[in-house]
């Protein structure tokens, strides 16, 4: 009988229509009809599924004579019994998940530590330090601890699985015979156990081993070198439903320590690519706090996340060319590079979207306004240590009850003048924050290189604002608020003043 005749016979014996059989195989009814008319043949995986549905062998479905239907194993191999070999085979099962969770824990831990250091260097006075908001630091630290705990759990699960495999290999030495449609487990002094590949819970292929997880959770490890026809066996197992390919290299068949190190580096770099943007934000904040004059270092730190993302993507390309599975590095590095580049572009061109250049308060308009409101304006640029400062004016009432300071920075070099203005604004805000006093109210806003910050305490009110190249600042006693409000009420300061 032909394959089509056998298929039609078995289908009718099971009382299945062509459409019902097609639904079980996830194909069309027309495909089943063509098979039964011997016009086409199903693929290997569909032949396996048909043999499972009808409870017969593939050879029987194909209509081979009895003399030819004696099944011959594709490969026959003993399972691993030595603890060292089994642990080497098991190492790749949970390796990737463990490395990724530990990498995430490391990055969140570093991020939390950087923020803690940042807070300690800014809020360094006892009163201000005690009222610092630690929620973000605690949140990042908690995420790091949870990820580290998950990594430990995965490592423990891997250790338990390895111990179970070692115990089973020592107590049940057996061999595996791989057939076209089923697997036989032969143990000494016992009848061979035959089962379809679909009845195996999980089949994992690593660079040097096959690991079979059975329904009773026992683990059988096989060395590819002992399997003989490992390439043919790999193709057969790949067509099964529960197959997982964890190979790192497409051409190598070793599973040494170099491959494990390469896999750990790949997974670590994969995670690190997603942290380039938060790293960019942290570095951006540090630039304006700790680095004031070293322009090359500032530029290098600004470009570092971009360089890192580009390096991850480039390394992925190199590894793929060398037949290492690293497509994830290309994707992660490329996405991170695009995000960081877009972020940098928006930061440097935000004024195109919201132009504040023409709205800022100039030295001439400041002097004119303050003098019209009975204030004395002095030129206090002498002795100023800020870089690229072009003018510094201080307005105060005749009784010198408080001061309002205005600083302008050079515009001939956008990079230098603008960064210097931003750093000066940051220093003044830090000066306000580091004063030992209890804050009762504060508001802040930051848009590109434009910053706004006010703070009210029990006895003082402070104001710091940056608008492009102009900084305005005062920190006065609270009892002067009414007089200060009277002076400032008519001054039409555009956002963010």
């Amino acid at each position: 009988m032909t394959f089509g005749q056998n298929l039609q016979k078995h289908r009718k014996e099971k009382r299945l229509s062509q459409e019902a059989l097609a639904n079980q195989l996830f194909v069309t009814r027309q495909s089943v009809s063509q098979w039964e008319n011997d016009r086409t043949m199903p693929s290997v995986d569909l032949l396996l599924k048909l043999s499972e549905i009808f409870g017969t062998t593939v050879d029987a479905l194909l209509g081979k004579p009895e003399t030819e239907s004696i099944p011959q194993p594709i490969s026959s191999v003993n399972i691993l019994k030595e603890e060292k070999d089994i642990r080497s085979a098991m190492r790749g099962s949970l390796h990737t998940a463990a490395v990724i969770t530990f990498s995430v824990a490391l990055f969140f831990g570093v991020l939390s530590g950087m923020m803690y250091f940042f807070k300690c260097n800014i809020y360094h006075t006892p009163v201000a330090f005690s009222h610092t908001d630690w929620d973000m630091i605690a949140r990042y630290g908690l995420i790091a601890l949870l990820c580290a705990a998950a990594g430990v759990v995965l490592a423990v699960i891997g250790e338990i699985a390895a111990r179970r495999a070692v115990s089973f290999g020592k107590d049940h030495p057996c061999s595996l015979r791989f057939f076209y449609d089923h697997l036989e487990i032969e143990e000494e002094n016992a009848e061979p156990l035959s089962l379809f590949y679909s009845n195996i819970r999980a089949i994992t292929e690593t660079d040097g081993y096959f690991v079979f997880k059975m329904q009773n959770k026992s683990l059988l490890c096989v060395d590819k070198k002992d399997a003989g026809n490992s390439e043919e066996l790999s193709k057969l197992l790949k067509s099964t439903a529960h197959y997982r390919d964890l190979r790192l290299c497409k051409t190598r068949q070793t599973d040494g320590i170099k491959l494990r190190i390469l896999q750990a580096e790949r997974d670590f770099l994969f995670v690190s690519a997603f942290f380039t943007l938060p790293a960019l934000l942290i570095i951006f904040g540090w630039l304006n706090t700790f680095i004031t004059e070293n322009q090359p270092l500032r530029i290098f730190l600004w470009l570092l996340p971009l360089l890192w993302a580009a390096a991850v993507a480039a390394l992925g390309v190199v590894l793929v060319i060398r037949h290492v599975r690293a497509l994830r590095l290309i994707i992660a590095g490329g996405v991170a590079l695009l995000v960081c580049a877009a972020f940098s572009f928006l930061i440097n061109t935000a004024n195109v979207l919201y132009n504040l250049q023409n709205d800022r308060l100039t030295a001439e308009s400041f002097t004119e306004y303050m003098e019209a409101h009975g204030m004395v304006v002095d030129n206090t640029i002498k002795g100023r240590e800020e870089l690229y400062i072009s003018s510094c004016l201080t307005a105060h009432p005749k009784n010198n009850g408080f001061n309002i300071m205005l600083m302008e920075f050079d515009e001939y070099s956008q990079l230098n003048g603008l960064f210097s203005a931003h750093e000066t604004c940051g220093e003044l805000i830090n000066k306000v924050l580091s004063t030992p006093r209890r804050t009762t109210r504060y508001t802040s806003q930051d848009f590109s290189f434009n910053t706004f910050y006010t703070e009210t305490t029990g006895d003082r009110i402070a104001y710091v604002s940056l608008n492009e190249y102009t900084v305005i600042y005062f920190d006065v006693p609270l009892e002067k608020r009414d007089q200060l409000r009277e002076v400032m009420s008519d001054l039409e300061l555009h956002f963010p003043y």
Side-chain angles (χ1 to χ4, degrees), residues 59-80:
D59 288 339
L61 278 176
L62 293 175
K64 293 184 178 180
E66 290 294 325
T67 56
E68 298 180 7
S69 62
I70 300 175
Q72 296 296 323
I74 296 175
S75 179
S76 180
V77 63
N78 295 325
I79 67 170
L80 298 177

Side-chain angles (χ1 to χ4, degrees), residues 102-113:
F102 277 125
S103 300
V104 175
L106 175 63
F107 276 98
F108 273 104
V110 171
L111 191 61
S112 178

Side-chain angles (χ1 to χ4, degrees), residues 169-187:
K170 290 182 177 179
D171 297 338
H172 305 278
C174 58
S175 62
L176 303 181
R177 301 179 69 199
F178 300 94
F179 293 85
Y180 191 68
D181 57 349
H182 69 284
L183 169 70
E184 284 188 0
I185 303 176
E186 293 185 349
E187 189 174 353

Side-chain angles (χ1 to χ4, degrees), residues 135-249:
D135 289 346
M136 187 63 70
I137 298 176
R139 191 176 299 117
Y140 287 154
L142 179 61
I143 294 175
L145 289 176
L146 291 176
C147 292
V152 172
V153 170
L154 291 173
V156 170
I157 292 175
E159 177 65 21
I160 294 174
R163 287 179 179 273
R164 186 185 297 123
V166 170
S167 176
F168 184 87
K170 290 182 177 179
D171 297 338
H172 305 278
C174 58
S175 62
L176 303 181
R177 301 179 69 199
F178 300 94
F179 293 85
Y180 191 68
D181 57 349
H182 69 284
L183 169 70
E184 284 188 0
I185 303 176
E186 293 185 349
E187 189 174 353
E188 189 176 352
N189 300 324
E191 289 292 329
L193 175 63
S194 179
L195 68 160
F196 292 110
Y197 292 113
S198 59
N199 294 329
I200 300 176
R201 191 170 184 176
I203 302 175
T204 303
E205 181 179 0
T206 63
D207 289 279
Y209 304 90
F210 293 110
V211 180
F212 300 88
K213 186 175 184 180
M214 314 308 289
Q215 294 295 343
N216 61 356
K217 296 186 179 180
S218 59
L219 296 169
L220 308 179
C221 301
V222 172
D223 194 330
K224 286 183 179 180
K225 295 190 296 291
D226 299 333
N229 195 2
S230 60
E231 292 185 6
E232 186 68 22
L233 181 58
S234 177
K235 292 179 182 178
L236 172 63
L237 296 177
K238 190 176 295 185
S239 65
T240 61
H242 306 295
Y243 172 84
R244 291 189 305 165
D245 187 359
L246 296 183
R247 291 177 297 172
L248 181 64
C249 300

Side-chain angles (χ1 to χ4, degrees), residues 2-3 22 52 94 137 149 151 158 160 193 234 255 270 290 309 329 338 348 368 403 407 479:
T2 65
F3 167 74
E52 294 175 12
L94 293 173
I137 298 176
I160 294 174
L193 175 63
S234 177
D255 195 42
F270 170 72
F290 301 107
L329 289 184
L338 290 176
N348 288 284
E368 181 181 352
N403 292 327
M407 286 176 284
E479 59 266 19

